[in-house]
Amino acid sequence: MAQRAGLGSGRLEAVAILLLLGLFQSGMGADGAEALCGMASQARVTGGGSAAPGQWPWQVSITYDGTHVCGGSLVSEEWVLSAAHCFPREHRKEDYEVKLGADKLDSYSTEAQVRTVAQIISHTSYRQEGSQGDIALLRLSSPITFSRYIRPICLPAANASFPNGLQCTVTGWGHVAPSVSLQAPRPLQQLEVPLISRETCNCLYNINAKPDEPHFIQEDMVCAGHVKGGKDACQGDSGGPLSCPVGGLWYLAGIVSWGDACGAPNRPGVYTLTSSYASWINHHVAKLQPRVVPQIHESQPDSNLCSNHLAFNSAAAQGLLGPILLLPLSLTLGFLGAWHEH
Amino acid sequence: MSWRFPFFLVATVTLPSVCSQFNPLSLEELGSDTGIQVFNQIVKSRPHDNIVISPHGIASVLGMLQLGADGRTKKQLTTVMRYGVNGVGKVLKKINKAIVSKKNKDIVTVANAVFVKNGFKMEVPFVTRNKDVFQCEVRNVNFEDPASACDSINMWVKNETRGMIDNLLSPDLINGVLTRLVLVNAVYFKGLWKSRFQPENTKKRTFVAADGKSYQVPMLAQLSVFRCGSTSTPSDLWYNFIELPYHGESISMLIALPTESSTPLSAIIPHISTKTIDSWMNTMVPKRVQVILPKFTAVAQTDLKEPLKVLGITEMFDPSKANFAKITRSENLHVSHILQKAKIEVSEDGTKASAATTAILIARSSPPWFIVDRPFLFFIRHNPTGAVLFMGQINKP
């Protein structure tokens, strides 16, 4: 998790209490098995930094040959969702382990449990870094007993839509800056990141893009992060959760997948959009039932995040067509800007 | 009886920031192998120093000497080198041209020269063969004025190594009365990394030197795809190696690092030869890896006389036995000094932005680390010929 500055948390503590109320309500309203997902026992701490033990009970650490390589999210007693690129073909399934209920990777805790991996199902459309299908299901060698520190997150249904700008949290034990690893005792890091639409994210990635290094946000991806950079997931966070709160429950809106460097301006983190794989998940594990996400408020356009560059970049990309396209684009922008003010 | 002193010097330089097609590589590998054996001898007496030598430069100088030697002096040279320059002159010439070829993109300059006393008569075949095989030029100097002779040789070396090596010779090494000729080989290398290290990723990190002390030194960092591997010595000590290619793709830096920090470099050095390096090249696989490497400059001047004697090249240093009849028949010559000075600079510079930003290096799984934070060996290898242009041990960057 790369970040340059933390956020103050004073004003946001009030939000935490409201959210807790929501939790209890939905816990009572739904039937027992379903309600188990997406609930954390800790009050929510916002901003970035070390998480409290048990705060993200679905976060798991995946090790290869004893070394942490990726994160993952617990979605049931025996299934973990992670990223396909964490499991290259040449790696043996036997060399992976999943650590659940961990807080500090370097200290021993009685709450933590370790499982080997019985099965890895990587999505067949995953080809290489940045391609579609960066999602994988892991079956634990034996089911886990839930505790205060080990709980599943809710899987969003196929039609789920999380509004742009929703403050979600990415967690992991990844690098704290490019090429800088998290220092011992390696406490779990958390960071609040607002959701950014796919269209706006593509627009951002086109700013100062290098033609020989194309980056494209595919249909099964979503972005989250800060346009000005500085705070982002990084190497070692892959596979881990992008947890979004809706109606008092936490949903696995995204899976950490890729990004250009970490925390660079106009380069938000890119996540696998979990809801687009709801039927794939259900097809492989019938008992994993994605949950309908209540639509609390409409998603607003977020193209203003990239507006300063939209006209300029399209012109550059279109070459000779630039001058012709420039005018209608500026008109559209003017319209959007005016609309936002009201 | 009057003994005459020629002396022979080797100067080498490199200025790097830091796959075989050509196939009489075995010959150049034999040459570089002699250099590696010399390195082995040097580090025995200086296990805690930074050492930088040019195996290719040593092979060139010994090759030039071979052309001038006769009798047992020549036999010793051919035995240690395992080839006779006369028999393989054409191939050697081809190799020497390939090493400095413009196709490399990275600049390699090999400059050989014989500085001769004004009026000293040399055998014509020695001069022409040296010119043909080693592109060696002949220059006249006035050794009677050691200071100015020394200056003009040093100036030539400095020029050929683009300022990297100066003050190779000191005037006290020249004997105004007896010195007849000085043989110099200079190797200059300037390479840009194929994949540049981002300067903003360079940070001070801890390096545990051979003396057991920790030092904070600037280290380069890059996440990229590099070929790497690991192997063990016959006594089962494991070490890792990695290839960092220069932009022209014909020259690479190879780094070897003991897997366990308790394994000293001296335990793996005897195991290393051009054959071992070949086996690394054949077993390495491309991997996404996080490399951490000290940014450093090392310069070392080495007297090659004792190491060469240990390897069995003794007669050429002995005034009563040396036979250089093919350089001249009019006087008895022997080698009084054989020195080499080499310098290496490792920095961020490369041609392309760090591959961490390319489309294939964006995934956020944690890569394996290759952290060079303790004494290591490096090799700068011209891959088409297998020539080891430079090698060294760095105990403290």
Side-chain angles (χ1 to χ4, degrees), chain A residues 35-74:
Chain A
L36 269 173
C37 76
M39 292 164 63
S41 53
Q42 287 284 323
R44 187 175 178 218
V45 180
T46 51
S50 300
Q55 197 175 346
W56 308 103
W58 41 85
Q59 170 84 52
V60 307
S61 159
I62 297 170
T63 61
Y64 177 74
D65 270 349
T67 308
H68 170 89
V69 286
C70 277
S73 305
L74 188 67

Side-chain angles (χ1 to χ4, degrees), chain A residues 68-70 85 129-130 175 179-181 210 213-215 232-238 257-262 269, chain B residues 198 201 203 205 221-223 288 290-292 352-367 369:
Chain A
H68 170 89
V69 286
C70 277
H85 80 259
E129 296 185 22
H175 295 179
S179 305
V180 182
S181 52
K210 295 184 190 117
E213 297 171 9
H215 296 298
D232 194 7
C234 202
Q235 271 68 39
D237 290 325
S238 267
S257 179
W258 62 273
D260 183 354
C262 306
Chain B
Q198 301 281 40
N201 289 349
K203 291 193 171 65
R205 296 175 192 252
Q222 176 170 178
L223 169 64
R288 181 174 180 269
Q290 174 71 58
V291 176
I292 306 285
K352 274 207 290 194
S354 156
T357 60
T358 62
I360 55 145
L361 277 158
I362 52 178
R364 289 180 165 180
S365 53
S366 189
W369 293 66

